[in-house]
């Protein structure tokens, strides 16, 4: 795709590139009408399926624009530029959760504080009959004040492509390891979840239990919706209010770090979403996210 920096997509003047994935490029742009910065996600050439795709893209864009929640990145506009559809969203300058983690250690309390708003955002979206479909740290933006914002609802499903989640790049170990993605899926379906406490020294029992419940093989044993999940997170955080925030101990190689706890909770959220959508035991849409 030609570099769009310096060009205008309607009233939006492209300033700089913010990121690029397998399906789209994200730019920072200036809205010349409202005089503010925005983020524009431009779908890469070859991904669109002409009229059929563009109609579906328009339908999804309108549905996403209807969402209004303090922890969901707002879709402002949509359009098409030389056959490339694009979404216009509010600009969040703080980067992504993936960038924030970057292998660094943080407390489990901070991990829960990040997840509560995201769980509530998902609960709101589910109430409005919208499923995210691609939950991962790269799709959670962080505001300058440190608030998490969920982005990229439905985009991966619209394009019918899969992107991998590079956990290795964050310095963490995979909960299931095998030679092929299908072997990982088999382990997901047949083997018990490895205890999170085995990877993070000093992790409280109730966090261990919360993760095991969220990732239960039987959907009936999981949290039944995002409201229940967020309530459990809030209760655990309130119970620990006033206590010293403990940093994870590093001493057992290979140390996973508390960042992995956040990833495991995110995976738990993904499983809960799948349960909400299917009502049965299911494996993730994006199998390679758990394999990579």
């Amino acid at each position: 795709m030609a570099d769009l920096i310096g060009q205008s997509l309607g009233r939006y003047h492209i300033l700089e590139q913010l990121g690029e994935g397998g399906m789209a490029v994200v730019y920072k742009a200036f809205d010349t009408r409202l005089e503010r910065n925005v983020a524009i996600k431009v779908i890469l050439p070859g991904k669109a399926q002409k009229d059929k795709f563009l109609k579906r893209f328009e339908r999804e864009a309108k549905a996403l624009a209807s969402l209004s929640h303090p922890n969901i990145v707002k879709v402002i506009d949509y359009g098409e530029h030389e056959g490339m559809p694009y979404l216009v969203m509010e600009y969040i300058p703080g980067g992504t959760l993936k960038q924030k983690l970057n292998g660094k250690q943080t407390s489990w309390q901070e991990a829960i504080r990040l997840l509560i708003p995201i769980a509530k955002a998902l609960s709101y979206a589910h109430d409005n009959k919208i499923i995210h479909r691609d939950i991962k740290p790269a799709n959670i933006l962080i505001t300058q004040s440190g608030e998490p914002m969920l982005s990229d609802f439905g985009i991966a499903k619209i394009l019918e492509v899969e992107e991998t989640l590079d956990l290795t790049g964050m310095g963490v170990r995979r909960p299931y390891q095998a030679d092929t993605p299908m072997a990982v899926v088999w382990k997901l379906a047949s083997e018990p979840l490895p205890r999170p406490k085995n990877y993070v020294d000093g992790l409280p029992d109730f966090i261990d239990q919360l993760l095991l419940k969220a990732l239960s093989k039987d959907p009936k044993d999981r949290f039944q919706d995002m409201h229940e999940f967020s309530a459990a997170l809030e209760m655990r955080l309130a119970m620990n209010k006033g206590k010293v925030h403990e940093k994870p101990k590093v001493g057992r190689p290979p140390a996973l770090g508390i960042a992995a706890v956040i990833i495991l909770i995110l995976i738990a959220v993904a499983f809960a979403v799948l349960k909400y959508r299917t009502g049965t035991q299911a494996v993730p849409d994006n199998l390679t996210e758990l394999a990579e």
Side-chain angles (χ1 to χ4, degrees):
M1 182 176 76
D3 188 356
L4 297 179
I5 296 175
Q7 299 188 38
S8 292
L9 279 59
R11 74 195 214 207
Y12 307 106
H13 185 72
I14 304 297
L15 300 176
E16 61 180 287
Q17 182 175 319
L18 297 176
E20 181 174 1
M23 64 179 183
V25 179
V26 181
Y27 294 97
K28 178 182 178 181
F30 182 70
D31 184 340
T32 57
R33 182 179 300 170
L34 298 179
E35 299 183 355
R36 62 176 178 177
N37 290 328
V38 296
I40 296 185
K41 179 175 285 263
V42 181
I43 308 304
L44 292 171
K47 300 299 183 184
Q49 300 297 320
K50 297 302 180 182
D51 292 341
K52 182 179 179 181
F53 172 85
L54 293 175
K55 288 180 180 178
R56 185 179 180 189
F57 182 87
E58 180 179 2
R59 184 175 67 249
E60 295 275 349
K62 289 179 177 178
L64 298 179
S66 70
L67 295 177
S68 180
H69 188 277
N71 296 102
I72 293 178
V73 176
K74 183 67 177 176
V75 172
I76 302 168
D77 197 3
Y78 70 93
E80 179 186 352
H81 174 75
E82 297 180 355
M84 297 179 292
Y86 62 85
L87 281 177
V88 183
M89 301 165 287
E90 61 180 315
Y91 173 63
I92 308 295
T96 69
L97 177 59
K98 181 177 180 180
Q99 294 167 334
K100 177 182 174 66
L101 295 178
N102 194 30
K104 298 177 182 177
Q105 294 184 347
T106 186
S107 67
W108 63 263
Q109 293 94 334
E110 178 63 16
I112 287 183
R113 286 195 186 91
L114 285 170
L115 265 296
I116 288 174
I118 296 303
K120 289 184 174 181
L122 286 168
S123 180
Y124 166 81
H126 293 173
D127 288 343
N128 286 273
K129 310 302 181 185
I130 293 178
I131 302 297
H132 189 283
R133 305 181 179 115
D134 195 24
I135 304 166
K136 58 186 178 183
N139 285 341
I140 297 175
L141 304 181
I142 305 296
T143 67
Q144 288 181 313
S145 62
E147 286 295 307
M149 303 282 288
L150 195 53
S151 70
D152 278 356
F153 275 81
I155 298 301
K157 192 64 175 181
I158 296 174
L159 298 171
E160 297 180 350
V161 298
E162 293 182 346
E163 291 186 292
T164 61
L165 174 60
D166 187 6
L167 298 185
T168 304
M170 297 175 62
V172 303
R173 268 184 66 187
R174 308 164 187 170
Y176 296 96
Q177 299 186 59
D179 294 333
T180 66
M182 285 310 300
V184 173
V185 172
W186 174 255
K187 287 190 173 185
L188 280 168
S190 61
E191 294 186 4
L193 178 72
R195 295 288 299 274
K197 291 187 66 172
N198 294 340
Y199 299 96
V200 181
D201 288 328
L203 191 67
D205 287 337
F206 59 79
I207 296 295
D208 203 54
Q209 294 161 6
L210 183 147
L211 289 168
L212 292 173
K213 178 177 177 64
L215 291 165
S216 173
K217 305 294 183 183
D218 190 338
K220 297 191 297 296
D221 295 332
R222 303 174 198 158
F223 295 101
Q224 295 304 293
D225 53 37
M226 285 294 97
H227 176 74
E228 184 180 345
F229 183 61
S230 63
L233 292 175
E234 287 184 310
M235 180 184 70
R236 293 305 183 185
L237 193 60
M239 290 173 60
N240 196 71
K241 188 176 181 179
K243 294 183 179 180
V244 177
H245 290 195
E246 298 178 357
K247 290 286 184 178
K249 300 175 183 177
V250 180
R252 176 190 316 177
L256 189 60
I258 199 68
V261 177
I262 298 179
I263 297 300
L264 286 170
I265 296 178
L266 286 170
I267 295 172
V269 172
F271 268 72
V273 169
L274 286 162
K275 182 268 166 192
Y276 177 93
R277 184 176 65 186
T278 64
T280 60
Q281 183 170 344
V283 293
D285 288 329
N286 193 347
L287 301 182
T288 54
E289 283 194 11
L290 300 182
E292 291 296 324

